[in-house]
Amino acid sequence: TQSTWADRTVRLWDASGEKLEQRLKVSCLVMPTAIDFLPSDQTRAVVAHRDSSFALVDLTTGQTVSSFRVPDLDTGVLSQPNRIACHPTLPLLVSGHEDKFLRFFDVNTGALVHALTAHREAVASLAIDPSGLFVGTAGHDSSLRFWDVSTRRCAQEITAHRTKNEEAINDIAFHPTLPFCASAGADANVKVYSSA
């Protein structure tokens, strides 16, 4: 289990025993906002930071292996990544940002492969389905959107939760083996969807 902290640290936890034990603490120069393990190498994780930078971290040493950042796209404004997910089979990192964008990066090179406006408000969360065919995004515009990974086009949109305190959907998750997806909203509701 991993976590990001406001004290500019990333912590790796061992949850296999009866008691949660901290295994590694990595200090960051900028506050981390999200983290995901690299499926092709479980000793490495990608950490996203508030300043739109990303770091590939070796979890055995705590050292940064490489880093990259979101390129300035004409606006001059850097946008915080709220959630990231590494693709289960491709060297692809997907990030959802405060500026409404969904960005696709090559994990090996750090190059931005594709960027698109994903929601009318901030992208609060995202998840990649276990097959790796779709990315589900949750936005503060009250919608869930499902993106085809190969075409980068929206395959489906669902209006799911009511807005509360300028937030709508806080999380999205896919079941690892069953055809279910769930969302958690600021309206205090959890909804489960079936693709079967």
Side-chain angles (χ1 to χ4, degrees), residues 101-182:
F101 270 79
L102 188 62
R103 292 179 172 90
F104 297 80
F105 293 92
D106 181 318
V107 174
N108 295 329
T109 65
L112 179 65
V113 176
H114 192 76
L116 57 93
T117 304
H119 288 270
R120 291 182 309 277
E121 298 295 334
V123 179
S125 184
L126 64 87
I128 300 175
D129 81 302
S131 70
L133 298 176
F134 294 95
V135 175
T137 59
H140 286 317
D141 60 1
S142 301
S143 71
L144 294 173
R145 294 185 182 174
F146 299 91
W147 304 88
D148 183 308
V149 170
S150 61
T151 65
R152 314 279 196 302
R153 292 195 175 161
C154 185
Q156 185 176 7
E157 178 180 1
I158 300 170
T159 301
H161 294 271
R162 293 183 318 274
T163 302
K164 184 175 181 182
N165 299 324
E166 298 182 24
E167 293 186 359
I169 306 174
N170 295 322
D171 207 0
I172 182 172
F174 288 98
H175 191 281
T177 57
L178 298 175
F180 295 124
C181 175

Side-chain angles (χ1 to χ4, degrees), residues 61-73:
T61 65
Q63 299 299 308
T64 297
V65 176
S66 64
S67 61
F68 56 97
R69 73 178 321 112
V70 173
D72 183 359
L73 303 173

Side-chain angles (χ1 to χ4, degrees), residues 16-97:
S16 62
E18 291 180 23
K19 183 178 160 189
L20 192 65
E21 294 183 37
Q22 184 174 309
R23 291 289 180 216
L24 179 69
K25 181 178 176 181
V26 179
S27 294
C28 304
L29 297 174
V30 179
M31 187 170 78
T33 58
I35 183 171
D36 196 21
F37 293 112
L38 204 57
S40 60
D41 183 355
Q42 291 288 301
T43 65
R44 294 185 176 192
V46 178
V47 178
H49 300 96
R50 185 178 233 165
D51 69 350
S52 298
S53 65
F54 298 84
L56 182 60
V57 177
D58 184 320
L59 298 174
T60 59
T61 65
Q63 299 299 308
T64 297
V65 176
S66 64
S67 61
F68 56 97
R69 73 178 321 112
V70 173
D72 183 359
L73 303 173
D74 300 329
T75 63
V77 177
L78 297 175
S79 178
Q80 170 179 302
N82 290 328
R83 186 64 62 94
I84 63 173
C86 293
H87 193 278
T89 59
L90 300 173
L92 193 65
L93 171 74
V94 184
S95 60
H97 294 255

